[in-house]
């Protein structure tokens, strides 16, 4: 008879209630392992639902307008005519990156300048301090400065800031902009100024990287998407890009969806670890109940009926655990917005997302029941003879039972479905399942290897206490496999996260080594070049490289017009690569960050004798293309490309493919021309140097801003600080979720200690009867937990190191250098916590009188 049908029998539920009276603590402890996993899922799914709601309700304030048109070049006359024909309110913005100089303190910083004219934003507002500064800055030489920069340089409202050749009065602190996040302040802190004054700063020069935007607010009845469709031919023809509320909402929603998907996967690992704890605890619980099961069988109970009794207990406690976990998850969900506030472009208002709560409850309850069924199925194999002959236990393990394998299959399928639903592509989902499965398999294999190895190669020469503690790893009722799996997988999460962050920072720091440049000056005009070089050398700093930069656009790819390729339905080339404004260079040799993969490097164009001589020239220039952009464009060796260089078409052919190390502070480019072609084109220069101290670097930047206000500088120390800050914020959010997995692992440890407490008492009494002292018994338990913690930590750390190496080699394409000191600290921390929790859960065992145990046998 099916045990599920037996659950409709009232006797089953009455018996489940009565039987649980003496064992509820054990069952509740088993479900405590699942509580955190369910809490994590509910918290993240509720957070994701609230983010989606916030994005929808604040959609217009994310963009600040109904429509935005933007370009890298000043709007053409035809575009200006088109703009005037569009109805509604309009605002203009020109943005660029440049150095800001604070005369009061003498500090400099690379900032993102936003020159605005009009009433932008139309939706939402610039949040400033004082509030009226959001409108007042557009009159006179006034500026709004990002609050992070004001705090960094201890600037105050009323101070001055120099941008280019003009000084502005700071009339307000900029707290938040529509659609902006706190993280953007670290990458490019904003400074708002009036558009009418931008030309006088000297920043609008040939080769300067400017962005032109026009914002529109239309009447409510206007069909925005139809307007964009109508003007799309013009946008394509003049290389313009558009952004609407719908597009911004979809792109931002996708980004936040990816974040919640990633956090969901981390939370689900906590649920899996909790499942391991449930299976382990229920396994011990079933062993403890074998006599009761045998009595029920002798009284006429069928195997299915007895199984239904314990399935009913699992159902009730699984539901209780799910409700408690969901409640904790809702409490955690109120904290997540504060943790992720630097990455949230919307205001979060807490509300209960019942759909998300129901999803977390159902997933958590289902996984709890499945993991509980793994040991419960062995109940069917408990023989009634055990009551008459205590040695007749029957096969407790259900691994030879088809039902056991069916439950395992359901767990794997459920895990796979969850992973596929929470990843962008099915390959990522299956990859995640395979990675977790491989990690669990390796850890389980290590645990089995330890048990077999210790038994086979037992160190008989050790002292009695050490032999006894080591033997507990393989004796009956051991928890070696469950604890190594739980603690090891939790350790992998934390250690991989730390090593990845350390690896990225180390890669950036590599550029600060003795022989590498760490200062970059760019936007140097041709007539400033010699003077800037002389200034750098006056600070006793070397000029390591001078790279010319020429802006250009693609017009033809393999004989086809770019506009034609973009309109083609089956186009595989990325749209951004086709309309991208390329900043190319020319030189005779490769640099350290470049590796030639295919073709022949040609540093001088012998066939193109007159640089940009004629727009009708048919001579193809052999160029070198970065391998990834070549793949994106779908081009290879010998393919033809035509670039529009400041109005002059230049035919080229792909002569070689290069791999570029973009993580190094160098003048890296997608496209490199040979010498002899672009010298006459309008261009700016970038200069690389090296400075040995932050004091000298600051002095150089100050001198550059004072003498050449339009030249910008990047200091590697600032890059390191920015990257470190960003990674710390990202890592903290991920660690917060990974903490659930680690904590679940220790709850599994505590559960294993407590559920095996009675077995420990029996062993303690036996040892005391044979003459062991209380101190010896405590040392034996301490040694056992030392070995468990050591093997779990070592297995997890080694797996984390291997995973980090794989990430470094295949994803980041960099050299992996482990951090031995943090790894040692992680090892000691895991071992120490394992020993501490183990002894805490075993307290009082040595105080139990032998008679109490003997009477219970």
């Amino acid at each position: 008879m099916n045990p599920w049908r037996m659950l409709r029998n009232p006797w089953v539920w009455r018996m489940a209630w009565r039987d649980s009276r003496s064992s509820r603590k054990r069952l509740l402890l088993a479900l405590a392992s699942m509580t955190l996993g369910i809490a994590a899922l509910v918290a993240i799914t509720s957070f994701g639902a609230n983010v989606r709601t916030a994005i929808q309700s604040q959609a217009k304030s994310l963009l600040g307008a109904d429509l935005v048109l933007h370009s890298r070049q000043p709007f053409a006359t035809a575009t200006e005519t088109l703009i005037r024909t569009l109805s509604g309110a309009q605002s203009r913005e020109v943005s660029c990156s440049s150095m800001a100089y604070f005369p009061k303190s003498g500090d400099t910083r690379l900032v993102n300048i936003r020159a605005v004219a009009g009433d932008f934003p139309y939706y939402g507002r610039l949040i400033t301090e004082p509030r009226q500064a959001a409108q007042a800055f557009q009159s006179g030489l006034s500026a709004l400065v990002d609050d992070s920069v004001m705090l960094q340089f201890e600037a105050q409202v009323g101070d001055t800031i120099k941008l280019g050749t003009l000084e502005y009065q700071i009339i307000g602190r900029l707290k938040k902009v529509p659609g902006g996040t706190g993280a953007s302040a670290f990458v490019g802190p904003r400074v708002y100024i009036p558009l009418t004054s931008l030309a006088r700063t000297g920043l609008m020069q040939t080769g300067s990287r400017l962005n032109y935007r026009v914002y529109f607010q239309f009447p409510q009845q206007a069909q925005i998407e139809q307007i964009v469709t109508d003007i799309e031919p013009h946008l394509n023809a003049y290389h313009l890009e558009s952004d609407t509320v719908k597009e911004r909402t979809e792109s931002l929603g996708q980004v936040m969806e990816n974040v919640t998907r990633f956090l969901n996967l981390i939370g689900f690992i906590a649920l899996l670890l909790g499942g391991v704890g449930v299976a382990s605890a229920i396994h011990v619980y079933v062993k403890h109940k074998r006599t009761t099961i045998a009595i029920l069988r002798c009284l006429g109970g069928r195997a299915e009926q007895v199984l239904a009794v314990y399935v009913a207990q699992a159902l009730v406690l699984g539901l209780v655990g799910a409700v408690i976990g969901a409640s904790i998850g809702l409490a955690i969900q109120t904290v997540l917005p504060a943790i992720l506030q630097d990455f949230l472009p919307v205001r979060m208002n807490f509300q209960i997302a019942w759909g998300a709560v129901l999803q977390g409850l159902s997933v958590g309850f289902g996984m709890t029941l499945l993991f509980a069924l793994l040991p419960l199925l062995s109940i069917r194999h408990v023989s009634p003879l055990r009551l008459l002959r205590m040695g007749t236990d029957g096969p407790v393990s259900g691994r030879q039972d088809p039902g056991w394998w069916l439950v395992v299959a359901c767990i794997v399928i459920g895990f796979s479905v969850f992973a596929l639903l929470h990843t962008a592509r099915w390959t990522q989902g299956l990859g995640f399942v395979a990675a977790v499965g491989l990690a669990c398999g390796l850890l389980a294999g290590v645990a089995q290897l330890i048990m077999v190895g210790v038994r086979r190669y037992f160190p008989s020469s050790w002292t009695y206490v050490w032999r006894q503690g080591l033997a507990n790893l393989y004796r009956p009722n051991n928890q070696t496999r469950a604890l190594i799996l739980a603690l090891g997988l939790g350790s992998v999460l934390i250690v991989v996260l730390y090593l990845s962050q350390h690896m990225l920072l180390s890669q950036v720091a590599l550029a600060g080594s003795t022989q590498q440049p760490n200062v970059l000056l760019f936007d140097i005009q041709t007539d400033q070049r010699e003077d800037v070089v002389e200034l750098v050398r006056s600070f006793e700093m070397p000029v390591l490289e001078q790279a010319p930069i020429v802006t250009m656009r693609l017009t033809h790819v393999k004989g086809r017009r770019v506009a034609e390729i973009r309109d083609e339905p089956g186009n595989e080339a990325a749209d951004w690569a086709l309309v991208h404004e390329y900043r190319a260079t020319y030189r005779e040799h490769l640099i350290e960050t470049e590796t030639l993969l295919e073709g022949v490097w040609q540093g001088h164009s012998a066939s193109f004798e007159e640089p940009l001589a004629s727009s009708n020239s048919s001579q193809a220039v052999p160029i070198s293309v970065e391998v990834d952009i070549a793949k994106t464009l779908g081009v290879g060796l010998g393919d033809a490309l035509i670039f529009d260089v400041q109005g002059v078409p230049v035919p080229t052919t792909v002569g070689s493919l290069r791999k570029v190390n973009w993580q190094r502070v160098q003048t890296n480019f997608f496209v490199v021309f040979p010498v002899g072609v672009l010298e006459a084109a309008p261009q700016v220069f970038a200069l690389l140097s090296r400075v040995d101290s932050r004091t000298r670097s600051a002095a150089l930047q100050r001198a550059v801003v004072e003498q050449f206000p339009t030249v910008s500088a990047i200091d590697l120390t600032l890059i390191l600080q920015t990257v470190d800050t960003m990674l710390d914020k990202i890592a903290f959010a991920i660690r917060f979720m990974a903490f659930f997995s680690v904590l679940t692992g220790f709850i599994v440890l505590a559960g294993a200690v407590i559920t095996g407490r009675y077995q420990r008492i029996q062993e303690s009494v036996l040892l005391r009867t044979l003459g062991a002292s209380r101190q010896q018994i405590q040392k034996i338990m301490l040694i056992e937990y030392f070995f468990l913690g050591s093997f779990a930590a070592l297995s997890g750390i080694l797996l984390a190191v291997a995973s980090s190496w794989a990430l470094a080699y295949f994803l980041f394409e960099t050299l992996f250098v482990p951090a031995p000191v943090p790894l040692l600290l992680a090892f000691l921390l895991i071992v120490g916590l394992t020993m501490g929790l183990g002894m805490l859960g075993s307290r009082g065992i040595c105080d139990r009188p032998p008679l109490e145990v003997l009477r219970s046998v």
Side-chain angles (χ1 to χ4, degrees):
M1 186 178 293
N2 192 325
W4 299 106
R5 293 183 180 179
M6 297 300 299
L7 291 174
R8 292 181 288 184
N9 189 337
W11 175 86
V12 170
W13 293 95
R14 288 197 303 270
M15 193 64 203
W17 173 260
R18 292 169 182 170
D19 181 76
S20 68
R21 289 176 179 175
S22 61
S23 308
R24 289 173 188 169
K25 290 182 179 180
R26 287 190 178 95
L27 291 173
L28 288 174
L29 184 62
L31 268 299
S33 303
M34 302 297 297
T35 302
L36 283 179
I38 296 172
L41 283 182
V42 171
I44 296 168
T45 50
S46 299
F47 171 76
N50 283 345
V51 167
R52 288 190 292 271
T53 301
I55 289 176
Q56 292 296 329
S57 62
Q58 303 171 41
K60 288 192 174 182
S61 63
L62 293 174
L63 185 64
D66 292 319
L67 172 65
V68 181
L69 300 181
H70 46 97
S71 171
R72 297 282 188 181
Q73 301 292 337
F75 294 125
T77 303
T79 302
E80 292 288 357
T81 302
L82 174 66
I83 292 173
R84 286 193 294 269
T85 61
L86 297 177
S87 60
Q90 300 179 8
S91 296
R92 297 293 183 112
E93 177 188 278
V94 179
S95 62
C96 64
S97 293
S98 184
M99 298 297 293
Y101 175 63
F102 293 84
K104 180 179 177 181
S105 62
D107 294 307
T108 60
R109 175 71 189 267
L110 186 68
V111 298
N112 182 247
I113 298 173
R114 301 290 183 97
V116 179
D119 296 329
F120 176 80
Y122 298 110
Y123 307 104
R125 63 186 181 89
L126 297 176
I127 300 178
T128 62
E129 185 181 299
R131 185 171 183 175
Q132 62 270 20
Q135 287 77 36
F137 83 93
Q138 293 201 38
S139 60
L141 295 179
S142 304
L144 300 176
V145 180
D146 196 287
D147 189 55
S148 64
V149 178
M150 299 279 285
L151 293 173
Q152 179 184 0
F153 298 132
E154 299 181 353
Q156 303 294 327
V157 174
D159 293 348
T160 58
I161 181 174
K162 186 177 182 182
L163 305 172
T165 58
L166 284 184
E167 286 193 7
Y168 293 83
Q169 183 182 23
I170 302 174
I171 66 168
R173 296 173 176 267
L174 186 61
K175 297 286 190 177
K176 192 172 180 62
V177 300
T181 64
S184 61
F186 295 100
V187 179
R190 295 181 176 92
V191 175
Y192 277 76
I193 62 173
L195 180 59
T196 53
S197 65
L198 180 61
R200 288 182 286 160
T201 62
L203 298 175
M204 302 179 69
Q205 300 188 42
T206 301
S208 298
R209 196 174 180 87
L210 301 172
N211 295 286
Y212 298 83
R213 290 182 178 86
V214 56
Y215 298 91
F216 297 89
Q217 182 189 38
F218 297 110
Q220 292 185 357
Q221 66 274 15
Q223 299 294 326
I224 310 300
E225 302 304 322
Q226 185 60 47
I227 293 174
V228 175
T229 302
D230 293 340
I231 65 175
E232 188 172 2
H234 180 92
L235 301 182
N236 292 336
Y238 287 89
H239 303 289
L240 302 175
E241 297 181 27
S242 64
D243 200 358
T244 64
V245 173
K246 180 180 178 181
E247 292 173 349
R248 178 63 63 88
T249 303
E250 289 176 351
S251 62
L252 184 59
Q254 186 62 46
V255 171
M256 297 310 301
E257 185 69 21
N258 290 338
V259 171
T260 54
R261 282 175 174 174
F262 176 70
L263 293 178
N264 257 313
L265 293 177
I266 295 179
F268 195 67
I269 291 179
L271 192 64
L272 288 178
L273 290 176
V276 174
V278 167
S280 176
I282 297 296
H283 175 72
V284 176
Y285 177 72
V286 169
K287 283 189 174 184
H288 180 69
K289 288 290 185 179
R290 278 181 293 179
T291 301
T292 303
I293 296 169
I295 292 174
L296 291 175
R297 295 297 307 278
C298 287
L299 294 176
R302 292 188 299 272
E304 290 79 6
Q305 287 178 308
V306 178
L307 175 60
V309 170
Y310 294 96
V311 170
Q313 292 178 357
L315 284 171
V316 172
L317 290 176
L319 182 60
V320 172
V323 172
I324 295 174
S327 302
I328 297 175
L330 289 176
I332 296 171
Q333 198 270 323
T334 61
V335 180
L336 280 178
I339 295 174
L340 298 173
Q341 62 182 349
D342 289 326
F343 307 97
L344 293 177
V346 292
R347 299 184 308 275
M348 289 288 294
N349 298 316
F350 172 74
Q351 57 182 350
I352 298 178
W354 291 110
V357 173
L358 182 61
Q359 178 186 344
L361 280 171
S362 58
V363 172
F365 176 73
M367 296 301 291
T368 301
L369 183 59
L370 288 173
F371 276 102
L373 278 175
L374 287 176
L376 286 178
L377 288 175
S378 66
I379 289 174
R380 297 179 300 168
H381 302 288
V382 176
S383 172
L385 288 176
R386 187 184 190 280
L387 188 61
L388 302 176
R389 290 183 293 175
M390 298 306 293
T392 310
D393 290 340
V396 178
S397 175
R399 287 177 175 80
Q400 297 178 355
D401 185 356
W404 188 89
W405 288 106
L406 178 61
V407 174
V408 171
C410 290
I411 292 175
V412 174
I413 292 173
F415 180 33
S416 302
V417 170
F418 186 91
L420 290 172
L421 291 176
H422 290 84
T423 48
R425 293 190 294 270
W426 67 270
T427 53
Q428 295 175 346
L430 293 182
F432 177 76
V433 172
V436 174
L438 179 63
C440 292
L442 289 174
L443 290 171
V446 167
Q448 185 65 29
L449 187 63
I450 289 171
M451 291 187 289
V452 173
V454 170
R455 182 191 293 269
R456 178 172 298 180
Y457 304 103
F458 192 79
S460 56
S461 61
W462 288 11
T463 62
Y464 168 75
V465 172
W466 281 90
R467 294 200 313 270
Q468 189 72 16
L470 187 61
N472 284 343
L473 297 182
Y474 64 83
R475 284 175 177 168
N477 301 311
N478 72 81
Q479 299 294 317
T480 302
R481 185 180 291 105
L483 293 184
I484 286 184
L485 184 60
L487 296 179
L489 196 55
S491 304
V492 169
L493 284 177
I494 293 295
V495 176
V496 165
L497 178 64
Y498 176 83
L499 290 178
S500 298
Q501 181 181 0
H502 175 77
M503 176 173 51
L504 292 175
L505 288 175
S506 298
Q507 182 65 14
V508 178
L510 184 63
S513 60
T514 306
Q515 303 300 325
Q516 302 301 325
N518 61 5
V519 174
L520 170 66
L521 305 180
F522 59 97
D523 282 347
I524 303 173
Q525 300 296 316
T526 304
D527 58 351
Q528 298 174 327
R529 180 181 176 185
E530 293 183 1
D531 294 332
V532 171
V533 169
E534 184 178 348
L535 176 63
V536 170
R537 287 174 175 163
S538 69
F539 281 84
E540 299 181 353
M541 295 169 53
V543 177
L544 301 178
E545 185 179 352
Q546 301 179 56
I549 301 174
V550 181
T551 59
M552 59 187 69
R553 288 186 180 275
L554 267 176
T555 60
H556 294 76
V557 177
K558 293 192 288 190
R560 303 177 59 196
R561 293 180 57 84
V562 166
E564 177 187 344
I565 299 174
R566 294 181 66 192
D567 293 337
E568 187 178 20
N571 169 38
E572 297 182 357
D575 194 64
W576 72 267
L578 295 172
V579 300
H580 181 69
E581 183 183 61
Y582 288 85
R583 295 167 72 86
T585 192
Y586 54 90
R587 55 172 174 250
E588 294 183 336
H589 54 81
L590 292 173
I591 60 176
E592 293 179 353
T593 57
E594 298 174 322
T595 303
L596 188 65
L597 298 181
E598 296 181 52
V600 178
W601 171 265
Q602 297 190 37
H604 191 278
S605 178
S607 60
F608 210 90
E609 298 177 356
E610 299 182 27
L612 300 182
S614 170
S615 62
N616 297 320
S617 174
S618 59
Q619 296 173 311
V621 180
I623 62 173
S624 182
V625 182
E626 193 269 338
V627 63
D628 290 329
I629 196 69
K631 292 178 181 178
T632 303
L633 291 171
V635 299
L637 293 179
D639 288 336
L641 300 172
I642 298 181
F643 287 92
D644 181 350
V645 182
Q646 308 293 321
V648 178
V650 179
T652 67
T653 183
V654 179
S656 64
L657 297 176
R658 294 167 297 118
K659 180 180 179 181
V660 176
N661 183 0
W662 298 102
Q663 299 172 351
R664 291 272 295 276
V665 181
Q666 290 276 18
T667 51
N668 297 316
F669 298 89
F670 282 133
V671 178
V672 177
F673 279 70
V675 172
V677 180
L678 299 178
E679 281 80 350
Q683 55 195 275
V684 293
F685 289 84
L687 183 148
L688 285 173
S689 183
R690 173 166 185 83
V691 62
D692 297 327
S693 68
R694 296 190 62 179
T695 302
R696 185 178 296 182
S697 174
L700 171 67
Q701 293 180 59
R702 187 160 48 247
V704 168
V705 172
E706 290 175 347
Q707 299 183 35
F708 310 99
T710 61
V711 175
S712 299
I714 294 180
D715 186 350
L716 178 61
T717 56
L718 180 60
I719 293 178
L720 281 171
Q721 179 183 356
T722 302
V723 173
D724 194 9
T725 303
M726 290 296 298
L727 289 179
D728 274 342
K729 289 180 176 292
I730 296 171
F732 178 75
I734 299 175
R735 284 194 191 111
F736 181 79
M737 296 313 305
F739 171 76
F740 286 96
S741 300
V742 178
L743 187 58
T744 300
F746 285 110
I747 288 179
V748 172
L749 168 63
V753 172
I754 296 175
T755 53
R757 184 179 177 85
Y758 183 74
Q759 180 70 24
R760 301 292 183 184
I761 293 174
Q762 288 182 312
E763 293 174 358
S764 172
V765 168
L766 180 59
L767 290 173
R768 288 177 63 189
T769 304
L770 294 175
S773 66
R774 179 177 302 180
Q775 289 77 14
Q776 284 179 312
I777 295 173
Q778 289 177 340
K779 287 180 180 179
I780 289 171
M781 288 187 291
L782 192 65
I783 290 170
E784 178 186 356
Y785 292 120
F786 167 76
F787 281 121
L788 281 173
S790 298
F791 285 131
L794 187 60
S795 302
I797 289 174
L798 289 178
L799 188 57
V801 170
S803 302
S804 300
W805 173 85
L807 288 174
Y809 185 81
F810 294 106
L811 181 61
F812 300 120
E813 297 182 353
T814 185
L815 180 66
F816 172 66
V817 180
V821 174
L823 292 180
L824 178 61
L825 292 177
F827 175 82
L828 296 176
L829 177 63
I830 296 169
V831 174
L833 286 174
T834 303
M835 295 171 64
L837 284 174
M839 296 306 295
L840 184 64
S842 303
R843 70 187 187 281
I845 285 179
C846 298
D847 299 328
R848 306 298 289 270
L851 189 59
E852 176 185 341
V853 177
L854 295 175
R855 283 176 175 175
S856 65
V857 176

